[in-house]
Amino acid sequence: MNRTQWDSPFTDVPTKAEVEVYKPALGPSCTSGRFQVDLSGMPSTDWNKSAAHVFVQSFRDAYPDCAKSSKDICMAWERHFNRLCQIYRDHQERARLAQTLHQTCRRQERKSHVCFSHCRTMHSHLIEILQLYLCRLHVAKLYSQQHPSAARAIEELGVSGMSSDDSDHESSGGAARYTIVSKDWRSSEVTELLHLLDALHLCLRYRNSWNATSGAWPHLRLISHKSSTRAAVKGLPRNFYARRFLVSLTQEAFDELQSIEQTLPMGIPNGLREFVHFPILHSFSELEIIY
C-alpha cells in the first residue's frame, strides 16, 4: 500500500465504483505489487476477501518457513485491517474538519473584513487544535481494549475541549515553544487521561527509543498558569467538570451548562499506566511534549 508509517496517508484506495462492480470471477481484486483494500467496507466484502487471499499468499511467499496456518495469517490480517480502517477514518475526518475550518475562516474574513494574515494565523491555530484532538482520538481507539471509555471521552470533549497554545518563541531564542492555555473547567480526571494519551502517542511515535517515525518534530508545550477565557463545553458528563468550577456557578449558569448527571468512567488501569515509560516525560518534569 506504499505506506511507510502508521500515520502515512492512504494514496491508493479503490473507488466505490470499482468495489461495487468487482466479482470474484474476474480474478483477484488486487496484486501484491499493488495491494488495495476497501477501507470503507467490511472484511467480508468480495473485494476485501479477495485482497485477504492475496495478502496470505504474498506472506507465504515472503516467509516460506512460517509455521502459522493460512487461517491464523488471515485472522492476523483482519485485525490489522480493522486498525487500518480506524486510521483511514481519522484521516478522512481530519480532511473534512480542516476543510470546514477553512471555509469558516474565509466566511469570517469576508463578513468582518479581517485582514488575510490574521485570518491565516487563526486558521493555523484551529488546525493545530484539530490535530491534537485527532491524535488523541486515534490513540484512544488503538488502546480501546485497555481503556474502553477513552475514545468516547475524547469524542465527548470534541475539538473545543482541547487546550490551546500560546506561542512563546521569543523567550526560547526563536525555537518552536508553546505555553499551554489550560481549561479550568476540566476535571483532574480528564486532564490525567489527556496526559496519558499524549504519552502513549509518544511511545508509538518513538517506539520507546530515539528513532522517531517520519513527520514534524514534536513541539514543546510548557505547563503554565494561563487559563482559557472561553466558555466550558456544554452537555458533558458531570465528572468532566472540575468540582471547584461547578460550585462557582450561579444556578442560572449551572442550568445553561446542561451537564449530564451520568458519569463516564475515566479511571486509568494500572497496566496502562505502567505501559508508559517514555524517557522524555521523566527528564522534563515541567514540560509536556506532544506532536
PDB file of all heavy atoms in Angstrom, residues 3 18 24 43 81 100 118 133 149 185 202 218 244 247 254 277 281 288:
ATOM      1  N   ARG A   3       2.747   2.543   2.225  1.00  0.00           N
ATOM      2  CA  ARG A   3       2.736   3.333   3.456  1.00  0.00           C
ATOM      3  C   ARG A   3       3.924   2.912   4.297  1.00  0.00           C
ATOM      4  O   ARG A   3       4.122   1.732   4.567  1.00  0.00           O
ATOM      5  CB  ARG A   3       1.432   3.135   4.232  1.00  0.00           C
ATOM      6  CG  ARG A   3       0.197   3.557   3.463  1.00  0.00           C
ATOM      7  CD  ARG A   3      -1.084   3.288   4.242  1.00  0.00           C
ATOM      8  NE  ARG A   3      -1.191   4.180   5.398  1.00  0.00           N
ATOM      9  CZ  ARG A   3      -1.087   3.774   6.649  1.00  0.00           C
ATOM     10  NH1 ARG A   3      -0.829   2.508   6.937  1.00  0.00           N
ATOM     11  NH2 ARG A   3      -1.214   4.645   7.651  1.00  0.00           N
ATOM     12  N   GLU A  18     -15.375   0.853  -8.318  1.00  0.00           N
ATOM     13  CA  GLU A  18     -14.544  -0.332  -8.535  1.00  0.00           C
ATOM     14  C   GLU A  18     -14.955  -1.469  -7.615  1.00  0.00           C
ATOM     15  O   GLU A  18     -15.012  -2.639  -8.029  1.00  0.00           O
ATOM     16  CB  GLU A  18     -13.065   0.009  -8.314  1.00  0.00           C
ATOM     17  CG  GLU A  18     -12.456   0.885  -9.386  1.00  0.00           C
ATOM     18  CD  GLU A  18     -11.031   1.284  -9.068  1.00  0.00           C
ATOM     19  OE1 GLU A  18     -10.720   1.495  -7.869  1.00  0.00           O
ATOM     20  OE2 GLU A  18     -10.221   1.385 -10.013  1.00  0.00           O
ATOM     21  N   PRO A  24     -15.742 -11.998  -7.830  1.00  0.00           N
ATOM     22  CA  PRO A  24     -14.635 -12.953  -7.685  1.00  0.00           C
ATOM     23  C   PRO A  24     -14.250 -13.644  -8.988  1.00  0.00           C
ATOM     24  O   PRO A  24     -13.084 -14.002  -9.187  1.00  0.00           O
ATOM     25  CB  PRO A  24     -15.178 -13.955  -6.665  1.00  0.00           C
ATOM     26  CG  PRO A  24     -16.169 -13.165  -5.863  1.00  0.00           C
ATOM     27  CD  PRO A  24     -16.794 -12.227  -6.836  1.00  0.00           C
ATOM     28  N   PRO A  43     -14.553  -6.497   6.190  1.00  0.00           N
ATOM     29  CA  PRO A  43     -13.632  -7.541   5.730  1.00  0.00           C
ATOM     30  C   PRO A  43     -14.329  -8.616   4.901  1.00  0.00           C
ATOM     31  O   PRO A  43     -13.683  -9.311   4.121  1.00  0.00           O
ATOM     32  CB  PRO A  43     -13.089  -8.131   7.044  1.00  0.00           C
ATOM     33  CG  PRO A  43     -13.310  -7.084   8.066  1.00  0.00           C
ATOM     34  CD  PRO A  43     -14.560  -6.370   7.665  1.00  0.00           C
ATOM     35  N   PHE A  81      -6.399  -5.062   9.407  1.00  0.00           N
ATOM     36  CA  PHE A  81      -7.329  -4.354   8.516  1.00  0.00           C
ATOM     37  C   PHE A  81      -8.234  -3.434   9.325  1.00  0.00           C
ATOM     38  O   PHE A  81      -8.466  -2.277   8.938  1.00  0.00           O
ATOM     39  CB  PHE A  81      -8.160  -5.362   7.728  1.00  0.00           C
ATOM     40  CG  PHE A  81      -9.292  -4.748   6.947  1.00  0.00           C
ATOM     41  CD1 PHE A  81      -9.065  -4.177   5.706  1.00  0.00           C
ATOM     42  CD2 PHE A  81     -10.581  -4.725   7.458  1.00  0.00           C
ATOM     43  CE1 PHE A  81     -10.103  -3.604   4.976  1.00  0.00           C
ATOM     44  CE2 PHE A  81     -11.619  -4.155   6.749  1.00  0.00           C
ATOM     45  CZ  PHE A  81     -11.381  -3.590   5.500  1.00  0.00           C
ATOM     46  N   THR A 100     -13.774  22.321   6.622  1.00  0.00           N
ATOM     47  CA  THR A 100     -14.812  23.111   7.290  1.00  0.00           C
ATOM     48  C   THR A 100     -14.217  24.339   7.959  1.00  0.00           C
ATOM     49  O   THR A 100     -14.760  25.440   7.867  1.00  0.00           O
ATOM     50  CB  THR A 100     -15.546  22.244   8.330  1.00  0.00           C
ATOM     51  OG1 THR A 100     -16.156  21.125   7.678  1.00  0.00           O
ATOM     52  CG2 THR A 100     -16.616  23.046   9.046  1.00  0.00           C
ATOM     53  N   HIS A 118      -4.125  37.784   9.492  1.00  0.00           N
ATOM     54  CA  HIS A 118      -4.716  37.429  10.775  1.00  0.00           C
ATOM     55  C   HIS A 118      -5.596  36.201  10.631  1.00  0.00           C
ATOM     56  O   HIS A 118      -5.592  35.302  11.485  1.00  0.00           O
ATOM     57  CB  HIS A 118      -5.538  38.598  11.322  1.00  0.00           C
ATOM     58  CG  HIS A 118      -6.296  38.268  12.574  1.00  0.00           C
ATOM     59  ND1 HIS A 118      -5.675  38.114  13.790  1.00  0.00           N
ATOM     60  CD2 HIS A 118      -7.618  38.042  12.780  1.00  0.00           C
ATOM     61  CE1 HIS A 118      -6.572  37.822  14.708  1.00  0.00           C
ATOM     62  NE2 HIS A 118      -7.766  37.772  14.113  1.00  0.00           N
ATOM     63  N   TYR A 133      -6.658  17.018  18.763  1.00  0.00           N
ATOM     64  CA  TYR A 133      -7.868  16.227  19.020  1.00  0.00           C
ATOM     65  C   TYR A 133      -7.819  14.888  18.292  1.00  0.00           C
ATOM     66  O   TYR A 133      -8.057  13.821  18.884  1.00  0.00           O
ATOM     67  CB  TYR A 133      -9.103  17.021  18.596  1.00  0.00           C
ATOM     68  CG  TYR A 133     -10.355  16.181  18.473  1.00  0.00           C
ATOM     69  CD1 TYR A 133     -11.050  15.775  19.608  1.00  0.00           C
ATOM     70  CD2 TYR A 133     -10.828  15.795  17.228  1.00  0.00           C
ATOM     71  CE1 TYR A 133     -12.197  15.001  19.501  1.00  0.00           C
ATOM     72  CE2 TYR A 133     -11.971  15.017  17.106  1.00  0.00           C
ATOM     73  CZ  TYR A 133     -12.649  14.619  18.239  1.00  0.00           C
ATOM     74  OH  TYR A 133     -13.777  13.845  18.134  1.00  0.00           O
ATOM     75  N   SER A 149     -13.408   3.386  27.642  1.00  0.00           N
ATOM     76  CA  SER A 149     -14.148   4.648  27.585  1.00  0.00           C
ATOM     77  C   SER A 149     -13.300   5.837  27.132  1.00  0.00           C
ATOM     78  O   SER A 149     -13.810   6.954  27.030  1.00  0.00           O
ATOM     79  CB  SER A 149     -14.753   4.964  28.957  1.00  0.00           C
ATOM     80  OG  SER A 149     -13.737   5.058  29.944  1.00  0.00           O
ATOM     81  N   TRP A 185     -12.186  24.578  33.729  1.00  0.00           N
ATOM     82  CA  TRP A 185     -13.443  23.870  33.975  1.00  0.00           C
ATOM     83  C   TRP A 185     -13.283  22.352  33.871  1.00  0.00           C
ATOM     84  O   TRP A 185     -14.129  21.596  34.361  1.00  0.00           O
ATOM     85  CB  TRP A 185     -14.513  24.337  32.982  1.00  0.00           C
ATOM     86  CG  TRP A 185     -14.148  24.175  31.535  1.00  0.00           C
ATOM     87  CD1 TRP A 185     -13.618  25.114  30.720  1.00  0.00           C
ATOM     88  CD2 TRP A 185     -14.306  22.990  30.741  1.00  0.00           C
ATOM     89  NE1 TRP A 185     -13.417  24.606  29.459  1.00  0.00           N
ATOM     90  CE2 TRP A 185     -13.833  23.307  29.444  1.00  0.00           C
ATOM     91  CE3 TRP A 185     -14.801  21.714  30.987  1.00  0.00           C
ATOM     92  CZ2 TRP A 185     -13.848  22.371  28.403  1.00  0.00           C
ATOM     93  CZ3 TRP A 185     -14.806  20.777  29.951  1.00  0.00           C
ATOM     94  CH2 TRP A 185     -14.343  21.113  28.686  1.00  0.00           C
ATOM     95  N   LEU A 202       3.527   9.388  22.167  1.00  0.00           N
ATOM     96  CA  LEU A 202       4.977   9.487  22.063  1.00  0.00           C
ATOM     97  C   LEU A 202       5.625   8.107  22.034  1.00  0.00           C
ATOM     98  O   LEU A 202       6.600   7.883  21.315  1.00  0.00           O
ATOM     99  CB  LEU A 202       5.536  10.299  23.227  1.00  0.00           C
ATOM    100  CG  LEU A 202       5.258  11.800  23.168  1.00  0.00           C
ATOM    101  CD1 LEU A 202       5.736  12.471  24.434  1.00  0.00           C
ATOM    102  CD2 LEU A 202       5.930  12.427  21.958  1.00  0.00           C
ATOM    103  N   PRO A 218       7.982  16.845  17.408  1.00  0.00           N
ATOM    104  CA  PRO A 218       7.055  17.324  18.428  1.00  0.00           C
ATOM    105  C   PRO A 218       7.511  18.656  19.002  1.00  0.00           C
ATOM    106  O   PRO A 218       8.698  18.848  19.244  1.00  0.00           O
ATOM    107  CB  PRO A 218       7.112  16.225  19.496  1.00  0.00           C
ATOM    108  CG  PRO A 218       7.592  15.012  18.769  1.00  0.00           C
ATOM    109  CD  PRO A 218       8.515  15.523  17.708  1.00  0.00           C
ATOM    110  N   ARG A 244     -14.597  22.425  41.700  1.00  0.00           N
ATOM    111  CA  ARG A 244     -14.432  23.830  42.061  1.00  0.00           C
ATOM    112  C   ARG A 244     -15.140  24.732  41.053  1.00  0.00           C
ATOM    113  O   ARG A 244     -15.709  25.771  41.408  1.00  0.00           O
ATOM    114  CB  ARG A 244     -12.943  24.177  42.125  1.00  0.00           C
ATOM    115  CG  ARG A 244     -12.645  25.611  42.527  1.00  0.00           C
ATOM    116  CD  ARG A 244     -11.170  25.824  42.723  1.00  0.00           C
ATOM    117  NE  ARG A 244     -10.414  25.521  41.501  1.00  0.00           N
ATOM    118  CZ  ARG A 244      -9.094  25.602  41.412  1.00  0.00           C
ATOM    119  NH1 ARG A 244      -8.379  25.951  42.478  1.00  0.00           N
ATOM    120  NH2 ARG A 244      -8.480  25.323  40.276  1.00  0.00           N
ATOM    121  N   VAL A 247     -19.153  24.450  41.608  1.00  0.00           N
ATOM    122  CA  VAL A 247     -19.686  25.153  42.782  1.00  0.00           C
ATOM    123  C   VAL A 247     -19.570  26.667  42.628  1.00  0.00           C
ATOM    124  O   VAL A 247     -20.234  27.423  43.358  1.00  0.00           O
ATOM    125  CB  VAL A 247     -18.954  24.707  44.073  1.00  0.00           C
ATOM    126  CG1 VAL A 247     -19.162  23.221  44.312  1.00  0.00           C
ATOM    127  CG2 VAL A 247     -17.476  25.039  44.018  1.00  0.00           C
ATOM    128  N   PHE A 254     -25.358  27.210  35.896  1.00  0.00           N
ATOM    129  CA  PHE A 254     -25.321  25.757  36.024  1.00  0.00           C
ATOM    130  C   PHE A 254     -26.368  25.118  35.110  1.00  0.00           C
ATOM    131  O   PHE A 254     -26.105  24.102  34.455  1.00  0.00           O
ATOM    132  CB  PHE A 254     -25.567  25.344  37.476  1.00  0.00           C
ATOM    133  CG  PHE A 254     -25.522  23.858  37.696  1.00  0.00           C
ATOM    134  CD1 PHE A 254     -24.311  23.193  37.841  1.00  0.00           C
ATOM    135  CD2 PHE A 254     -26.696  23.121  37.749  1.00  0.00           C
ATOM    136  CE1 PHE A 254     -24.268  21.823  38.031  1.00  0.00           C
ATOM    137  CE2 PHE A 254     -26.669  21.756  37.947  1.00  0.00           C
ATOM    138  CZ  PHE A 254     -25.449  21.102  38.084  1.00  0.00           C
ATOM    139  N   HIS A 277       6.523   4.433  29.506  1.00  0.00           N
ATOM    140  CA  HIS A 277       7.879   4.553  30.030  1.00  0.00           C
ATOM    141  C   HIS A 277       8.730   5.428  29.125  1.00  0.00           C
ATOM    142  O   HIS A 277       9.907   5.191  28.963  1.00  0.00           O
ATOM    143  CB  HIS A 277       8.526   3.174  30.167  1.00  0.00           C
ATOM    144  CG  HIS A 277       7.846   2.299  31.157  1.00  0.00           C
ATOM    145  ND1 HIS A 277       7.770   2.602  32.505  1.00  0.00           N
ATOM    146  CD2 HIS A 277       7.186   1.123  31.003  1.00  0.00           C
ATOM    147  CE1 HIS A 277       7.108   1.646  33.141  1.00  0.00           C
ATOM    148  NE2 HIS A 277       6.737   0.738  32.250  1.00  0.00           N
ATOM    149  N   LEU A 281       9.356  12.182  29.199  1.00  0.00           N
ATOM    150  CA  LEU A 281       8.410  12.636  30.202  1.00  0.00           C
ATOM    151  C   LEU A 281       9.038  12.715  31.589  1.00  0.00           C
ATOM    152  O   LEU A 281       8.603  13.468  32.433  1.00  0.00           O
ATOM    153  CB  LEU A 281       7.202  11.686  30.227  1.00  0.00           C
ATOM    154  CG  LEU A 281       6.367  11.656  28.959  1.00  0.00           C
ATOM    155  CD1 LEU A 281       5.228  10.673  29.113  1.00  0.00           C
ATOM    156  CD2 LEU A 281       5.833  13.033  28.614  1.00  0.00           C
ATOM    157  N   GLU A 288       5.485  19.296  28.949  1.00  0.00           N
ATOM    158  CA  GLU A 288       4.630  18.278  28.347  1.00  0.00           C
ATOM    159  C   GLU A 288       4.904  18.347  26.862  1.00  0.00           C
ATOM    160  O   GLU A 288       4.895  19.432  26.271  1.00  0.00           O
ATOM    161  CB  GLU A 288       3.159  18.594  28.634  1.00  0.00           C
ATOM    162  CG  GLU A 288       2.206  17.592  28.009  1.00  0.00           C
ATOM    163  CD  GLU A 288       0.764  17.995  28.223  1.00  0.00           C
ATOM    164  OE1 GLU A 288       0.544  19.153  28.637  1.00  0.00           O
ATOM    165  OE2 GLU A 288      -0.099  17.184  27.958  1.00  0.00           O
TER     166      GLU A 288
END
